[in-house]
Amino acid sequence: YFSEISEVTTESGTKLIPCDEWKFADTELDLFVLSTVDADLGLSMVNGQIVVQCSSFRGSRGSNYWWRFGPCKQNTSRCIPFITQRSNGLANKAFALMYTAFQLNWPIALGLADGYWIGSDF
């Protein structure tokens, strides 16, 4: 349980994955863009592919590990931290959380942990 995203550091041991390394199933982000009308989803185009854009925040050591949505974008003290895991190389359940945050205007900060296999510490 975390009450603020600043409580989760990106020092060794936490194993959060930078957003530019998040991988999704083939059409997940395409569906997200098509099913939303928000102009600022925290997504961008890189080499013809939609990728997640994440924001730095105080305490993150300058790296981009958190996708922020809704009121969380303007004020990190309002963020509700969610962490999901990478499974089989994909950002497991990240799309579902991103879509739900959009639909319900949740102020979430979504992180992706490297783990969920035998011997992992997540």
Side-chain angles (χ1 to χ4, degrees):
Y1 169 77
F2 313 104
S3 60
E4 295 182 10
I5 57 176
S6 60
E7 292 180 23
V8 182
T9 66
T10 56
E11 297 171 4
S12 62
T14 304
K15 299 193 179 176
L16 290 178
I17 299 169
C19 292
D20 60 354
E21 296 178 25
W22 293 18
K23 304 289 185 241
F24 292 84
D26 289 339
T27 60
E28 281 184 327
L29 291 181
D30 295 333
L31 290 171
F32 186 47
V33 171
L34 290 173
S35 60
T36 58
V37 293
D38 184 36
D40 189 12
L41 294 171
L43 304 173
S44 63
M45 289 292 272
V46 175
N47 297 325
Q49 291 188 325
I50 300 170
V51 295
V52 177
Q53 278 186 313
C54 288
S55 305
S56 296
F57 70 96
R58 184 176 37 91
S60 71
R61 304 217 182 264
S63 297
N64 295 321
Y65 293 90
W66 297 96
W67 178 81
R68 298 188 324 211
F69 189 77
C72 177
K73 281 185 172 183
Q74 291 78 33
N75 183 353
T76 58
S77 69
R78 298 201 57 206
C79 295
I80 301 167
F82 277 76
I83 299 176
T84 188
Q85 83 282 348
R86 179 164 55 184
S87 179
N88 296 322
L90 299 176
N92 190 31
K93 305 295 183 200
F95 167 72
L97 288 166
M98 293 166 74
Y99 186 75
T100 302
F102 171 78
Q103 291 295 319
L104 301 177
N105 198 32
W106 281 353
I108 72 167
L110 180 61
L112 180 67
D114 188 12
Y116 202 67
W117 61 80
I118 296 173
S120 74
D121 54 2
F122 176 70

